[in-house]
Amino acid sequence: MISILIKLPISDIIEFRYFGLAVFIGGVLLRALAIRNLGNFFTMDLTIKKDHLLITNGVYRYVRHPSYTAMLIGLIGIGLALNNWLSLLIGPLVFFLAFERRIADEERGLIGRFGNEYIQYQKRTKKWIPFIY
């Protein structure tokens, strides 16, 4: 809705929107891969199953929360596809701030379940962006 009300174009090049669409699709595919990697342990709510295993392979080798990273990439793609600076900044920022809190709750639960194993995983694997954050 922001991009309709306030025109703040990022680029005059029409193909730029296709680049944004490609970024969005990349985010969707990464999220599907992260969910597939978790298998039966994936849930929409904060749940740790009785037989839960700590998954640290696949995309989880590079980032602790690849599903959230993928959603952030998708939102960036939407902002680019809409070719609007406000859409590019506001959507991802709001999402990031909201999910930082959710991640903190998830990680408390994972530490409660896996203890030092999860703490060691935190030390060697970044939260959102591989090798950076």
Side-chain angles (χ1 to χ4, degrees):
M1 188 66 161
I2 292 171
S3 63
I4 294 171
L5 298 175
I6 301 171
K7 304 285 186 196
L8 290 173
I10 300 167
S11 174
D12 293 332
I13 302 169
I14 191 70
E15 290 82 10
F16 187 79
R17 292 176 180 261
Y18 297 116
F19 171 70
L21 181 60
V23 170
F24 170 74
I25 291 169
V28 169
L29 293 174
L30 179 59
R31 181 163 163 79
L33 183 61
I35 291 170
R36 183 170 188 232
N37 203 175
L38 275 183
N40 293 332
F41 300 125
F42 176 80
T43 62
M44 294 297 287
D45 53 349
L46 300 178
T47 302
I48 297 178
K49 298 181 178 185
K50 185 177 181 180
D51 63 340
H52 210 103
L53 300 174
L54 179 59
I55 305 298
T56 61
N57 61 349
V59 291
Y60 290 86
R61 181 180 322 148
Y62 304 104
V63 65
R64 295 194 311 267
H65 301 279
S67 181
Y68 298 145
T69 298
M71 291 173 72
L72 188 61
I73 290 168
L75 284 171
I76 290 168
I78 289 170
L80 294 171
L82 290 172
N83 193 27
N84 185 288
W85 279 109
L86 284 178
S87 296
L88 177 62
L89 298 174
I90 292 174
L93 179 63
V94 169
F95 169 84
F96 177 80
L97 294 174
F99 277 85
E100 271 289 292
R101 187 172 196 178
R102 181 177 168 101
I103 286 171
D105 291 342
E106 281 185 22
E107 294 201 327
R108 273 192 295 279
L110 290 164
I111 290 170
R113 169 65 173 88
F114 297 107
N116 193 51
E117 184 181 6
Y118 192 80
I119 292 169
Q120 293 305 311
Y121 176 59
Q122 284 179 308
K123 288 179 181 177
R124 70 178 183 270
T125 310
K126 298 297 182 183
K127 189 185 330 183
W128 283 90
I129 303 169
F131 314 111
I132 298 172
Y133 178 74

